[in-house]
């Protein structure tokens, strides 16, 4: 038995080393050049097989999972938003010429409130704006030294507007505002000056008015005082809410 294993060991050692001399015909090529074969060992066969197994077992670097991925998109279908596209309405040329696109639904409260955007200012402020325009005309009468008739005509309009303001808002919180007091006071001052101008013009036919209450100088001073009060009232109206 020992001889048998000894023979096998010698055989393996002989195959492990191949000498170039054993194959002279293979070393010399036809063109005369030498081809030196590499020495091969019998153990190289097992080494190559081991490397091949290693390559198949170990995954390559920088590469992930190999295989078929599961289809998970159907599990998230409910999260996808469905976009509904509405085709724009096409209008005929006749509809456009007939003013179809210009007709607004004025009887629709939503259209009036949202599209047209109705005035959001209070009724009190709207009344003040009317008074403001009258005060501006009255101010211009004083600057231009207009006739008594034209001056008193604007005073009468101011008086009517002030009485209307008092009637509407005397019991409301607006009656305690500076603009409310200013309008009432300037209306009173304008009526006093209007009466003074009227009396001075009337009595000038029967008595001299160069001095005293009906004098031109006194009327001019009272006119400047009213002009200053008109400016202050317009300022208060501008600050009203």
């Amino acid at each position: 038995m020992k001889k048998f294993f000894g023979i096998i060991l010698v055989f393996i050692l002989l195959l492990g080393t191949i000498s170039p001399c054993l194959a002279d015909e293979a070393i010399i090529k036809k063109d005369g050049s030498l081809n030196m074969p590499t020495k091969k060992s019998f153990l190289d066969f097992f080494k190559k097989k081991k490397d091949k197994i290693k390559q198949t077992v170990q995954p390559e670097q920088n590469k992930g999972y190999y295989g078929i991925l599961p289809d998970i998109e159907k599990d998230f279908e409910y999260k996808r938003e469905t976009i509904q596209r509405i085709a724009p309405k096409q209008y005929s040329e006749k509809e456009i010429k007939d003013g179809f696109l210009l007709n607004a639904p004025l009887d629709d409260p939503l259209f009036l409130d949202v599209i047209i955007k109705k005035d959001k200012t209070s009724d009190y402020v709207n009344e003040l704006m009317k008074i403001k325009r009258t005060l501006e005309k009255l101010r211009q009468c004083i600057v231009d030294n207009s006739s008594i008739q034209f001056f008193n005509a604007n005073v009468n309009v101011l008086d009517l507007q002030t009485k209307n303001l008092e009637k509407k808002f005397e019991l409301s919180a607006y009656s305690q505002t500076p603009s409310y007091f200013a309008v009432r006071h300037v209306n009173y001052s304008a009526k006093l000056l209007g009466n003074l101008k009227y009396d001075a013009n009337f009595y000038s036919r029967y008595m001299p008015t160069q001095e005293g209450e009906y004098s031109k100088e006194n009327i001019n001073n009272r006119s400047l005082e009213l002009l200053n009060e008109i400016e202050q009232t317009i300022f208060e109206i501008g600050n009203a809410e």
Side-chain angles (χ1 to χ4, degrees):
M1 181 65 92
K2 293 181 179 180
K3 291 183 180 181
F4 176 75
F5 284 109
I7 295 172
I8 293 176
L9 179 61
V10 172
F11 179 74
I12 292 173
L13 293 175
L14 290 176
L15 292 177
T17 303
I18 300 175
S19 176
C21 298
L22 298 177
D24 292 340
E25 295 83 3
I27 293 175
I28 301 175
K29 295 182 179 181
K30 293 182 179 180
D31 56 358
S33 61
L34 295 177
N35 181 17
M36 299 296 294
T38 57
K39 294 182 179 181
K40 295 183 179 180
S41 173
F42 180 76
L43 298 177
D44 289 343
F45 172 77
F46 298 99
K47 184 178 179 182
K48 288 183 179 180
K49 190 170 183 180
K50 183 179 180 181
D51 293 340
K52 187 175 181 181
I53 296 172
K54 185 178 180 181
Q55 289 179 0
T56 56
V57 172
Q58 294 183 354
E60 297 184 13
Q61 294 181 355
N62 301 327
K63 290 188 178 180
Y65 174 79
Y66 282 89
I68 300 175
L69 295 174
D71 184 12
I72 61 174
E73 291 186 1
K74 60 182 180 181
D75 296 330
F76 296 92
E77 286 291 338
Y78 70 96
K79 289 188 176 182
R80 294 184 179 180
E81 297 181 359
T82 304
I83 301 175
Q84 297 181 355
R85 300 184 179 274
I86 302 175
K89 181 175 175 55
Q90 300 296 329
Y91 296 97
S92 64
E93 186 176 352
K94 183 178 182 303
E95 288 176 330
I96 297 175
K97 288 183 178 180
D98 292 343
F100 176 79
L101 298 179
L102 301 179
N103 294 332
L106 299 179
D107 56 342
D108 186 356
L110 180 62
F111 178 81
L112 295 177
D113 292 338
V114 179
I115 305 302
I116 293 183
K117 294 184 180 179
K118 293 163 65 174
D119 189 11
K120 302 299 182 182
T121 55
S122 64
D123 189 28
Y124 177 73
V125 174
N126 290 333
E127 293 295 331
L128 288 181
M129 291 299 105
K130 298 177 184 178
I131 295 174
K132 178 183 177 183
R133 288 190 288 269
T134 303
L135 289 173
E136 290 172 346
K137 293 179 181 179
L138 194 60
R139 177 181 59 186
Q140 197 62 38
C141 287
I142 299 173
V143 173
D144 297 340
N145 195 22
S146 301
S147 64
I148 298 173
Q149 292 79 9
F150 191 64
F151 178 85
N152 282 336
N154 285 284
V155 171
N156 290 334
V157 174
L158 177 63
D159 186 49
L160 290 174
Q161 291 174 338
T162 303
K163 288 180 179 178
N164 184 53
L165 186 74
E166 291 174 342
K167 183 179 179 180
K168 284 186 175 182
F169 304 102
E170 63 180 348
L171 300 178
S172 68
Y174 292 114
S175 62
Q176 304 300 318
T177 59
S179 57
Y180 184 85
F181 287 108
V183 168
R184 294 185 66 194
H185 194 274
V186 76
N187 178 60
Y188 176 75
S189 300
K191 287 193 295 183
L192 288 180
L193 182 58
N195 291 333
L196 180 62
K197 284 189 174 186
Y198 178 82
D199 292 342
N201 182 63
F202 178 80
Y203 290 115
S204 63
R205 293 177 290 180
Y206 306 103
M207 56 181 290
T209 56
Q210 288 84 3
E211 297 179 358
E213 185 181 7
Y214 300 124
S215 66
K216 184 177 181 181
E217 182 181 0
N218 182 54
I219 292 176
N220 288 338
N221 290 336
R222 299 284 294 275
S223 297
L224 291 177
E225 291 176 1
L226 179 61
L227 184 63
N228 183 51
E229 189 174 354
I230 289 174
E231 295 291 350
Q232 292 178 357
T233 305
I234 291 176
F235 174 78
E236 293 294 342
I237 291 175
N239 292 332
E241 296 181 355

